[in-house]
Amino acid sequence: MSFRRGVSFVSFIIIIQLILAGCGGGGSKTNPPVVGTYNTYLYVATTNSKEVRVYNVLADGKLDYRTSNTWDNSVYAVKASPSGKYLAVVHYETTNSRYLLETYAINPSTGSLMTVCGSASLEASQPLNTLFTPNNNFLYVIGFDNGTYFIYMYRMGMDGALTSAGEPLNLGSYSIRDLAVSADGRYLYTAGWIGNPTNDYKAFAYRIHSDSGALTLINTYNTSTSPSSVICSGNNVFIGCFSNINGFTINASGELLPMTPSSFSPEKSGLKLNCVDKTGKYILGTDFNLGFESLAIGSNGSLSTAYTFTLEREAFDFVLHPNNQYFYTAISGDGTTNNLFAYSFSPQNGTASFIEGYSAGNTPWDIAIAYIPQR
């Protein structure tokens, strides 16, 4: 999940309350592109169409609509497990007046959703982000309810069933939007802020319990203004703030140590850090207008702008193809004009170009991609 876009700091403060944070941060700096024969599917969750649309991703990066699953109310979140076997879906359940997290088995031949494998209630907490750990064992959800932010923690079984890892973590009024997991899967990081008059900006480091997935706080750290996005790249953590990017190094116990220099100013203001490409060479970011920026990661974790590009529409959400050659964005339009877009990406130099646009229903709210090796 990703960001609604604005143009001023005031707009940013207002719009950020509606954010769904995005493409997600966890993973290794050297997580290689997928090779071999596999099926790739793109999923689009819509709030007003109340559905999850399924697209087949073609070899040239274009999308072919296949089918959809519908619910009785809005669908707010989708996230595919790293194995490609399951899709986590969060929708609002009218009957019980609650947000419901469910895991569905994915049909590897068609991409359609089959049986419900796991289910958990988020009660009144609207989902803002979901994240699987790289080993498929744990699933985390950021929820927001009446001014309070939570992290829900679950263990996912081999059959997709969900087991709660305990009461959700209560982060109070810290506006957290994104989650990232270290390359070794041992630590989870997030960042948030409390606005005026407190003006408190923090990053949070947690240890992941290997048996249950429960989180234990390691420490908190000061950041620049309004931290919102978090990604891990190898032994580094990068936090996207309103005016710059903060860089940290992870030590042996999961603590964050500020880099030198500790911040970098990208060309695009308010850059949302979406993900690290599969070669580990670039961070891919989008801003609050139409901007795309790839940042080259130096051997010491330093950042430099590699390429900037103007998108067709603002990127409310962003997902990278597992082959590292394409990425997709969505904006929450009503579908009368294109609101889902395909782009090519070059891992050789970090450049991007537009491929094609699509109308993906009324108000896309989240997109996810799953790849499934063919047997």
Side-chain angles (χ1 to χ4, degrees):
M1 284 167 279
S2 196
F3 294 91
R4 291 188 181 276
R5 308 300 179 186
V7 295
S8 68
F9 184 76
V10 173
S11 298
F12 176 81
I13 297 298
I14 296 172
I15 292 170
I16 202 76
Q17 298 303 323
L18 301 175
I19 289 172
L20 294 181
C23 167
S28 168
K29 181 177 179 180
T30 57
N31 181 21
V34 174
V35 295
T37 305
Y38 55 94
N39 295 326
T40 307
Y41 304 105
L42 183 80
Y43 298 89
V44 182
T46 62
T47 54
N48 288 345
S49 292
K50 306 173 185 178
E51 64 181 353
V52 173
R53 290 195 168 203
V54 183
Y55 292 83
N56 185 33
V57 182
L58 305 179
D60 60 0
K62 294 181 179 181
L63 302 176
D64 178 29
Y65 173 73
R66 287 298 183 87
T67 187
S68 65
N69 296 73
T70 59
W71 282 262
D72 69 343
N73 211 311
S74 298
V75 184
Y76 286 92
V78 286
K79 182 73 71 175
S81 65
S83 67
K85 292 182 178 180
Y86 303 105
L87 187 77
V89 178
V90 183
H91 61 95
Y92 189 77
E93 189 181 50
T94 305
T95 304
N96 295 304
S97 300
R98 62 178 181 173
Y99 293 93
L100 190 64
L101 166 66
E102 295 177 317
T103 49
Y104 287 82
I106 296 175
N107 184 317
S109 299
T110 66
S112 61
L113 305 184
M114 301 189 295
T115 56
V116 177
C117 303
S119 179
S121 174
L122 304 181
E123 300 302 336
S125 288
Q126 181 178 347
L128 301 181
N129 196 2
T130 54
L131 176 70
F132 281 98
T133 53
N135 61 8
N136 299 278
N137 287 347
F138 307 120
L139 173 62
Y140 300 97
V141 181
I142 295 176
F144 173 75
D145 179 19
N146 196 28
T148 301
Y149 295 82
F150 301 91
I151 300 178
Y152 291 81
M153 308 165 289
Y154 302 96
R155 180 178 181 87
M156 188 175 75
M158 296 289 291
D159 58 356
L162 297 175
T163 302
S164 173
E167 291 295 315
L169 296 183
N170 186 330
L171 278 83
S173 299
Y174 282 98
S175 178
I176 61 170
R177 302 295 175 175
D178 208 2
L179 301 168
V181 174
S182 61
D184 59 12
R186 298 172 59 194
Y187 308 109
L188 180 144
Y189 301 96
T190 189
W193 49 279
I194 300 175
N196 290 329
T198 305
N199 294 326
D200 190 13
Y201 312 114
K202 287 283 194 298
F204 302 81
Y206 294 93
R207 180 173 296 102
I208 299 174
H209 290 253
S210 60
D211 54 346
S212 66
L215 302 176
T216 299
L217 181 67
I218 298 173
N219 212 336
T220 64
Y221 313 87
N222 294 326
T223 71
S224 298
T225 302
S226 303
S228 55
S229 55
V230 185
I231 59 172
C232 291
S233 175
N235 201 40
N236 298 322
V237 173
F238 296 99
I239 298 176
C241 302
F242 181 74
S243 58
N244 58 23
I245 299 169
N246 293 170
F248 297 88
T249 299
I250 305 171
N251 73 5
S253 61
E255 292 265 12
L256 296 181
L257 307 177
M259 292 181 181
T260 303
S262 61
S263 66
F264 168 77
S265 296
E267 290 189 14
K268 302 294 184 180
S269 178
L271 196 68
K272 161 71 167 66
L273 309 182
N274 294 301
C275 57
V276 178
D277 90 301
K278 300 295 183 177
T279 67
K281 292 167 55 179
Y282 301 101
I283 294 174
L284 309 184
T286 47
D287 70 6
F288 285 86
N289 295 299
L290 300 173
F292 166 87
E293 184 170 349
S294 61
L295 303 169
I297 305 173
S299 58
N300 61 350
S302 61
L303 300 179
S304 60
T305 298
Y307 182 74
T308 60
F309 174 70
T310 300
L311 301 170
E312 295 297 303
R313 297 284 302 277
E314 299 91 336
F316 180 55
D317 199 17
F318 182 107
V319 67
L320 179 68
H321 193 296
N323 70 7
N324 212 36
Q325 297 177 20
Y326 309 106
F327 65 83
Y328 304 89
T329 68
I331 185 173
S332 56
D334 62 9
T336 56
T337 57
N338 289 339
N339 51 18
L340 175 67
F341 304 90
Y343 298 88
S344 65
F345 171 72
S346 171
Q348 284 73 40
N349 53 21
T351 58
S353 61
F354 175 63
I355 297 176
E356 198 166 65
Y358 312 85
S359 175
N362 195 340
T363 319
W365 206 251
D366 194 16
I367 57 177
I369 199 164
Y371 61 94
I372 307 172
Q374 294 182 4
R375 296 181 179 180

